[in-house]
């Protein structure tokens, strides 16, 4: 049985900005992006506004479906490099074990 990890919206505020950035770069509507992620278009809106958290599998879909660099996706410009690396390792560890 695998553990489901949910990341709270306020833990990764910078992620919400990147959701919209990626969607706009790929010229996708919220509805089109929602279909790729098997969620409704309101969820995309919630993510972009930082109103909902997301499960770790959503990060995996961003990386695999949309070919987004995981380091860019998880990199918080407000943190220093060491803290960013610790955060990435922490969530990677939780996802694999």
């Amino acid at each position: 049985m695998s553990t489901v990890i949910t990341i709270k919206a306020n833990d990764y505020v910078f992620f919400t900005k990147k959701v919209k950035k990626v969607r706009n770069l790929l010229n996708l509507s919220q509805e089109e992006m929602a279909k790729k992620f098997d969620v409704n278009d309101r969820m995309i809106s919630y993510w972009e506004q930082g109103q909902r958290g997301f499960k770790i599998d959503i990060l995996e879909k961003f990386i695999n479906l949309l070919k987004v660099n995981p380091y860019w996706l998880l990199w918080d410009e407000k943190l220093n490099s060491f803290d960013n690396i610790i955060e990435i390792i922490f969530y990677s560890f939780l996802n694999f074990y």
Side-chain angles (χ1 to χ4, degrees):
M1 177 179 266
S2 63
T3 304
V4 175
I5 302 195
T6 301
I7 299 170
K8 297 176 201 154
N10 59 348
D11 287 345
Y12 275 90
V13 173
F14 61 90
F15 174 78
T16 63
K17 294 175 186 171
K18 293 180 180 181
V19 171
K20 188 169 188 172
K21 188 173 200 167
V22 168
R23 184 175 62 78
N24 288 335
L25 284 171
L26 295 174
N27 202 25
L28 296 171
S29 68
Q30 287 181 342
E31 185 178 302
E32 291 167 328
M33 190 169 205
K35 286 180 184 176
K36 289 184 175 291
F37 286 86
D38 292 324
V39 297
N40 64 43
D41 53 331
R42 298 204 48 76
M43 185 58 75
I44 301 298
S45 176
Y46 291 146
W47 289 338
E48 290 181 354
Q49 295 173 32
Q51 294 178 346
R52 293 282 195 283
F54 51 94
K55 293 184 179 152
I56 203 84
D57 65 319
I58 295 300
L59 289 176
E60 191 175 357
K61 286 184 180 183
F62 261 93
I63 294 162
N64 293 327
L65 290 176
L66 303 179
K67 307 300 183 210
V68 174
N69 182 307
Y71 298 105
W72 175 80
L73 189 62
L74 295 173
W75 203 265
D76 183 353
E77 289 79 16
K78 293 180 183 176
L79 296 178
N80 64 40
S81 296
F82 178 78
D83 290 340
N84 268 304
I85 291 167
I86 295 301
E87 286 285 317
I88 291 168
I89 290 170
F90 174 73
Y91 280 109
S92 296
F93 176 79
L94 289 176
N95 191 34
F96 293 113
Y97 296 98

